[in-house]
Amino acid sequence: MRNHIAASLALAVALAIASPAFAQKADDADSLLTRAVELYNAGNAAGALPLAQQALAALERQHGPDHLDVAFTLNYIAVLQQQLGRPQEAEPLLLRALSIRQKALGSDHPQVAALAQNLAMLYRAQGRRDEAELLFKRALSINEKALGQDHLAVAANVSALAALHQDAGRPRDAEPLYKRAIAINEKAFGADDPQVSPSLVALGELYRTSGRLAEAEPLFKRALAISEKSFGPDHPDVATSLHELAMTYWVLNRIDEVEPLFKRALAIREKTYGTDHPAVAQTLNTMAGFYRDQGRHADAEPHFKRVANMYEKALGPDHPGVATSINNLAVLYQEMGRPTDAEPLAKRALAIREKAFGKDSPQLLNTIHNLAELYRTLGRDSDAEALNKRAETIKQKAK
């Protein structure tokens, strides 16, 4: 599961801090936001949220509801809400922030583009691809016009649009956009600069998921070499490249090479972030999937359990990431012949997703399917059939 939310937070902060207004905040709001960012970076989005909300209240009291500093903080809170699995609460905050910036700066300002991009990321995470595409294209158009074709903000825009196309199964549309992002970053920084590595990894992931493994491997190796040369062997960017390279070798069935790469990536992330950070959970979750695929259920189970506990601690009990992790554990238990252990987990995963996305969202389909299969294993054919009918109804509504 790609961490779209963390990426959107990084983009939101990077673009919004560039605003001169950010440096002019009242001391209390500034200190509250600084502490919120520290908590988020430590993996504690739930702790960051109330501090950011207090900062918003202070800014509204001092400047009124339509100040640019208010828009910045609304944007930040919205991304935190999304990180915590509350997209319905994030959307009105982003819309309000976008309205403030448009009114203050005009509809073609780069700061408006930044908010359009973040709103598009929210819609992408919700599966609202048509709405997301319009906003991604609007952000790209604004920045191309205001900043030029080769600006770094444009590289971020085209990368985000490429990822949306990749989600939608449109690799031919995604590939030239990823290549354009690489070209912009290489022109700005040089071919061996670490700023180029994320774009290389993104294109490599597109090739890997498209079955173009021979093209994916050298991109991951190049990104790995750049990061190791620039930062040393223990940097988080090194861990990212190791993780992706391990995934590629897994698909290539070069099994003996997979586990050492995952273990090294895990060690780097634990050293960098601590043992309970979502970045650590990502590697643990993928390792658990690898062990499961290899029939090593006893090795997979503690990893899946640890991931579920980490996501619940970091994101709260009702986050979709928690649903994904406990659903994975439920499937594992079913494969291990433990359906009575699997059922409560599968039901809880479905309840979390219903709360987060609504009862008719396509985001529920995988969880519904898994629960239906579990009911068939338990001999509860009527319950399984009811779930299958529900899934079909959701599919029809989504067309």
Side-chain angles (χ1 to χ4, degrees):
M1 181 178 65
R2 291 193 296 273
N3 199 338
H4 311 315
I5 299 171
S8 66
L9 179 60
L11 180 63
V13 173
L15 292 177
I17 284 180
S19 166
F22 181 72
Q24 300 169 4
K25 290 181 171 61
D27 289 342
D28 56 343
D30 189 42
S31 62
L32 286 165
L33 284 170
T34 299
R35 179 59 180 149
V37 171
E38 290 171 353
L39 286 171
Y40 174 80
N41 289 338
N44 187 3
L49 179 61
L51 295 177
Q53 290 170 328
Q54 292 174 44
L56 175 64
L59 290 167
E60 288 178 323
R61 285 194 300 270
Q62 179 170 355
H63 299 301
D66 297 326
H67 194 274
L68 286 174
D69 289 354
V70 171
F72 168 86
T73 310
L74 287 166
N75 176 53
Y76 184 64
I77 294 171
V79 181
L80 286 174
Q81 292 283 22
Q82 189 179 357
Q83 171 76 6
L84 291 167
R86 303 168 188 161
Q88 295 91 339
E89 296 183 40
E91 183 178 6
L93 298 171
L94 286 172
L95 288 170
R96 182 184 163 199
L98 183 60
S99 176
I100 292 171
R101 283 192 180 171
Q102 286 180 151
K103 182 178 178 180
L105 303 171
S107 59
D108 295 326
H109 194 280
Q111 287 192 40
V112 171
L115 274 172
Q117 178 100 339
N118 286 337
L119 185 58
M121 286 179 173
L122 173 65
Y123 290 158
R124 176 190 167 201
Q126 292 179 296
R128 297 161 63 178
R129 290 176 182 154
D130 290 343
E131 295 168 273
E133 184 170 356
L134 289 173
L135 285 166
F136 279 136
K137 287 181 174 178
R138 180 185 174 196
L140 174 60
S141 177
I142 291 171
N143 283 333
E144 285 179 327
K145 181 179 178 181
L147 304 173
Q149 297 281 329
D150 295 329
H151 195 275
L152 294 176
V154 171
N157 295 146
V158 296
S159 292
L161 184 57
L164 180 71
H165 290 329
Q166 186 175 347
D167 289 347
R170 295 160 57 185
R172 291 182 180 178
D173 293 327
E175 183 178 3
L177 294 172
Y178 281 136
K179 287 183 174 179
R180 182 180 173 194
I182 292 171
I184 292 172
N185 286 318
E186 286 180 332
K187 182 177 180 180
F189 300 110
D192 295 327
D193 192 277
Q195 299 284 350
V196 178
S197 294
S199 298
L200 295 172
V201 169
L203 181 59
E205 185 181 359
L206 176 71
Y207 287 157
R208 176 171 57 78
T209 56
S210 301
R212 297 164 63 177
L213 303 175
E215 295 169 272
E217 184 181 1
L219 289 170
F220 293 138
K221 284 185 171 180
R222 180 183 164 195
L224 176 61
I226 290 171
S227 297
E228 286 183 319
K229 181 179 179 181
S230 300
F231 303 123
D234 297 326
H235 192 273
D237 285 2
V238 172
T240 298
S241 297
L242 290 167
H243 185 105
E244 295 295 337
L245 195 56
M247 295 279 288
T248 303
Y249 290 159
W250 181 2
V251 178
L252 285 167
N253 204 35
R254 292 162 60 176
I255 300 303
D256 291 343
E257 298 174 77
V258 175
E259 188 173 8
L261 294 174
F262 277 141
K263 285 185 173 180
R264 185 181 164 199
L266 178 63
I268 292 170
R269 287 179 168 176
E270 287 183 326
K271 181 179 179 180
T272 302
Y273 301 117
T275 57
D276 293 329
H277 194 276
V280 174
Q282 181 200 28
T283 302
L284 283 169
N285 188 66
T286 309
M287 288 179 71
F290 171 69
Y291 291 146
R292 176 188 159 205
D293 181 66
Q294 298 302 303
R296 296 168 57 181
H297 293 124
D299 292 323
E301 182 181 0
H303 282 58
F304 277 138
K305 282 184 172 180
R306 185 178 165 194
V307 169
N309 290 333
M310 290 166 68
Y311 277 136
E312 189 154 358
K313 180 179 178 181
L315 306 174
D318 297 326
H319 191 277
V322 175
T324 299
S325 61
I326 62 176
N327 186 69
N328 288 339
L329 187 57
V331 172
L332 180 72
Y333 284 154
Q334 186 173 355
E335 292 176 354
M336 295 172 73
R338 297 164 57 181
T340 55
D341 292 327
E343 183 182 2
L345 295 171
K347 290 170 74 173
R348 183 184 168 204
L350 180 57
I352 292 171
R353 289 192 169 276
E354 287 175 335
K355 183 177 180 180
F357 301 112
K359 291 183 179 294
D360 295 325
S361 172
Q363 301 277 3
L364 275 59
L365 289 172
N366 182 59
T367 311
I368 290 173
H369 171 74
N370 290 338
L371 185 56
E373 288 297 308
L374 176 61
Y375 284 156
R376 291 209 183 277
T377 300
L378 291 168
R380 294 164 57 179
D381 291 345
S382 61
D383 290 331
E385 185 61 27
L387 285 172
N388 287 332
K389 287 181 178 178
R390 180 181 173 191
E392 189 59 34
T393 299
I394 291 173
K395 291 177 184 178
Q396 292 300 321
K397 288 183 178 179
K399 287 183 178 179

